[in-house]
Amino acid sequence: MPPRHTLRQAAVACGGIFLAIGALAFASFKLGTLLALGSFGSSSVLLFTFPESHFSQPRSILGGHVISSAVGLALLQVCGPAWWSLGLAVALAAAAMMWSGTLHPPAGSNPIIIFLARPGWGFLLFPTLFGALALVLAALAWHRLQRQPYPLYWRGAAPGPMRPAPRRGRLFTRIFIR
């Protein structure tokens, strides 16, 4: 069995998840447009409980969600809403994420969401790209405030040990720039 998280780790993860999903929900209500997907719930669990995982890195979060949504939209448009086209969409989305090095398991549900909601191509921008980007930025800020290394890398594989967060400078620089 994997080791259990401490109560402090659970509380810190809970705070980050609340911040990320709460911000997306608040913006959705205020702007009157969908900015949160069901798959973002499981993305936020990965981001705030296992930030060191490949699945939690910005490349995987952003690329995985965008690729999976694009595959879902394309298959829905080309093949229509059939049982086999939905299965094919999820399978091809997984293969595309694996091939591109952006594997993010929660994004595998995006084609299912697309087949149920039947949105247009604007779905790639709102909520997919905007929401995934908001999750990554929330995780970046939250982990920096907690003095936890995140991300381990932006592109490709981790280059080696993380540099410590800067201790001086403006707040924006300390949170978002290494």
Side-chain angles (χ1 to χ4, degrees):
M1 285 186 51
R4 289 177 29 179
H5 286 91
T6 66
L7 185 58
R8 182 188 185 289
Q9 289 171 322
V12 167
C14 183
I17 293 167
F18 173 77
L19 169 76
I21 298 300
L24 283 174
F26 178 78
S28 292
F29 289 123
K30 289 295 182 183
L31 298 175
T33 187
L34 178 66
L35 299 175
L37 291 173
S39 56
F40 289 166
S42 50
S43 292
S44 66
V45 170
L46 280 174
L47 269 168
F48 294 100
T49 60
F50 293 101
E52 72 284 353
S53 168
H54 164 72
F55 302 141
S56 301
Q57 301 309 304
R59 173 186 174 92
S60 295
I61 301 273
L62 296 170
H65 279 292
V66 170
I67 287 170
S68 289
S69 290
V71 169
L73 288 164
L75 268 284
L76 180 61
Q77 185 173 7
V78 171
C79 301
W83 65 268
W84 60 269
S85 60
L86 174 54
L88 183 60
V90 175
L92 290 177
M97 287 188 290
M98 291 171 69
W99 179 78
S100 64
T102 61
L103 189 58
H104 182 64
S109 65
N110 288 5
I112 297 171
I113 294 167
I114 287 166
F115 271 67
L116 291 173
R118 298 186 188 167
W121 282 96
F123 189 87
L124 272 180
L125 185 58
F126 289 102
T128 304
L129 179 60
F130 181 83
L133 184 58
L135 284 180
V136 168
L137 292 175
L140 184 64
W142 184 255
H143 290 303
R144 295 287 167 91
L145 290 173
Q146 301 300 316
R147 299 185 190 273
Q148 297 172 338
Y150 180 81
L152 296 183
Y153 55 89
W154 287 94
R155 299 180 327 157
M162 291 285 294
R163 291 179 287 144
R167 302 207 181 236
R168 55 192 139 111
R170 293 195 277 165
L171 181 61
F172 180 84
T173 304
R174 275 190 271 155
I175 293 173
F176 294 104
I177 308 295
R178 275 208 128 33

